[in-house]
Amino acid sequence: RQKDQVVHFHLKDWKISDVPCPGGDLKRCGKYYANAMIGEGDLDLKGFWNQVDERGRRLFVNLETLDFSGKLSKVESLKKVSDYLRNW
């Protein structure tokens, strides 16, 4: 009902588990969610994007580009996420 009021959205990924996991927080659904860099989690972000209508595709999208493992620099993680999204 509110989609015409949305002006931007945040795109991020999660590792989702039925049991406690490192960095995971228990959510109301009873599962544990831990931050994940886009493309390394369990969400079907491409499937979500394919459902976004033309108006939504013109909105600002805040991308979660942080590498939560700490292995990649900010530049490397931004490139990795950008390459992943570009190949949809």
Side-chain angles (χ1 to χ4, degrees), residues 12-27:
K12 67 181 300 169
D13 212 343
W14 298 94
K15 293 298 281 179
I16 304 169
S17 175
D18 292 325
V19 296
C21 59
D25 291 321
L26 181 62
K27 303 296 183 185

Side-chain angles (χ1 to χ4, degrees), residues 2-59:
Q2 300 295 322
K3 82 175 193 176
D4 291 337
Q5 306 302 315
V6 173
V7 295
H8 78 274
F9 57 90
H10 187 91
L11 190 63
K12 67 181 300 169
D13 212 343
W14 298 94
K15 293 298 281 179
I16 304 169
S17 175
D18 292 325
V19 296
C21 59
D25 291 321
L26 181 62
K27 303 296 183 185
R28 290 183 292 190
C29 64
K31 296 189 182 279
Y32 293 85
Y33 284 65
N35 290 315
M37 192 165 57
I38 290 174
E40 295 186 354
D42 296 319
L43 299 182
D44 178 14
L45 297 176
K46 182 178 181 186
F48 164 77
W49 186 250
N50 288 337
Q51 297 298 315
V52 175
D53 64 16
E54 186 61 33
R55 179 191 171 276
R57 288 179 178 230
R58 291 190 310 266
L59 298 176

